[in-house]
Amino acid sequence: MTQKSEPRRELWILGVKPGDGREEILSSYLQEGGYNCRLEQYENLEQGRPLGIVLDLSPFSDDGWGILLKIKSSPATRNIPVLPVFLSELGKVGGVFPVTGFFVLPVDEHYLLERLAVYGLTEDVETWDLQVLVISRTGEEKLSKAIESIGFEVVKGYTGKEALALSSIHPKYMTFCSHMLPDMSAFEVLEKFKLYPYSSNTPIFVLLKGEMKPGEKLAMSREIAHLVSKKQLTCNEFLANLRRRE
């Protein structure tokens, strides 16, 4: 008797309105990388159990930031990996922002420590003196204390420029960054970190406000627009952010 194999889990594309056709280039890239994918809606997420989500956060998205906040605020969906992308009005892939993960403020301390353990980021804390960089205009005291409670040393940067200076002096084991800083967005910090040896491979977690006004969402989308390539990313350039599946 032939054993039934479990259906292959899909990547879902969210933040694109059905019928726009803006997902077509992205879908072709994912399929080339060996992924099953489809355009879906947030309302189906809890029952759908996708492998992960590719989410459009551009100014042309269908409330991409709102969808991200809902995903990461719900215990039922917050562990699903999300890859933020920028799709042009015609669906060209202009940018990819592979952050390690997202947490919604105020941070749930138990959930935070649980996820860090799942990522394998707490295994070396008792062996080495490791620094964690927290980038936020407020300092995020609750978050910092939770990180210190498991043995990390917390270093704080209150602007993106200060964080870049701190990361260039001494390697940081991981970074937590507010989604919007006084001088740049978390995604710009991510892009700049890639340029320097000390920070190019540092895991970055983005901290989301519990609520975002429409103007804040639009401002964040426009900030991303400043970072994207003027040309369309090739399939290989896009897939460099994902593992190819055979």
Side-chain angles (χ1 to χ4, degrees):
M1 182 180 293
T2 304
Q3 185 178 2
K4 290 185 178 179
S5 61
E6 184 179 346
R8 192 170 180 182
R9 293 172 67 192
E10 301 172 308
L11 287 180
W12 283 14
I13 299 171
L14 297 182
V16 178
K17 286 184 179 179
D20 282 0
R22 293 180 58 244
E23 78 284 359
E24 292 178 2
I25 295 173
L26 180 59
S27 295
S28 69
Y29 285 3
L30 291 168
Q31 290 163 4
E32 178 66 23
Y35 289 92
N36 292 341
C37 63
R38 60 170 159 160
L39 180 64
E40 260 293 352
Q41 299 297 302
Y42 169 79
E43 290 72 20
N44 301 326
L45 191 55
E46 286 191 29
Q47 302 300 321
R49 295 180 63 248
L51 176 68
I53 295 165
V54 184
L55 178 62
D56 180 24
L57 293 179
S58 74
F60 313 105
S61 73
D62 186 18
D63 193 24
W65 283 100
I67 292 172
L68 177 61
L69 193 55
K70 286 191 285 188
I71 292 170
K72 295 304 173 181
S73 296
S74 170
T77 59
R78 63 188 178 184
N79 291 340
I80 301 173
V82 175
L83 177 65
V85 299
F86 179 102
L87 300 183
S88 75
E89 191 170 8
L90 299 177
K92 294 180 179 179
V93 183
V96 185
F97 304 97
V99 300
T100 306
F102 296 89
F103 291 102
V104 177
L105 296 172
V107 168
D108 178 330
E109 180 178 340
H110 176 75
Y111 176 65
L112 167 72
L113 301 184
E114 175 190 271
R115 294 311 296 171
L116 294 183
V118 168
Y119 284 119
L121 293 171
T122 59
E123 296 173 358
D124 297 327
V125 68
E126 294 182 3
T127 306
W128 308 99
D129 294 326
L130 301 174
Q131 291 185 344
V132 173
L133 180 60
V134 175
I135 316 170
S136 169
R137 71 176 75 194
T138 65
E140 301 302 340
E141 202 61 31
K142 182 179 179 181
L143 169 69
S144 299
K145 287 181 178 179
I147 297 169
E148 288 172 338
S149 73
I150 53 175
F152 290 107
E153 176 188 353
V154 171
V155 178
K156 296 184 180 181
Y158 297 91
T159 66
K161 289 181 180 178
E162 184 178 2
L164 292 170
L166 289 168
S167 64
S168 68
I169 296 170
H170 188 281
K172 301 298 182 285
Y173 191 64
M174 58 182 156
T175 295
F176 294 83
C177 184
S178 294
H179 75 282
M180 182 63 83
L181 301 164
D183 55 346
M184 63 182 73
S185 71
F187 289 171
E188 185 172 354
V189 172
L190 172 68
E191 293 299 293
K192 290 183 181 298
F193 270 19
K194 293 178 184 178
L195 303 176
Y196 301 100
Y198 272 174
S199 57
S200 59
N201 293 315
T202 303
I204 297 183
F205 295 94
V206 175
L207 305 172
L208 302 170
K209 287 177 58 177
E211 293 183 10
M212 289 188 200
K213 297 177 181 178
E216 291 176 310
K217 296 175 185 177
L218 183 58
M220 279 298 299
S221 294
R222 286 174 174 168
E223 282 292 324
I224 294 175
H226 293 312
L227 303 176
V228 303
S229 171
K230 299 298 182 185
K231 62 179 179 63
Q232 176 178 327
L233 296 185
T234 66
C235 182
N236 284 336
E237 287 171 334
F238 171 77
L239 290 175
N241 298 279
L242 293 168
R243 290 181 295 180
R244 280 185 176 270
R245 296 167 68 90
E246 301 301 331

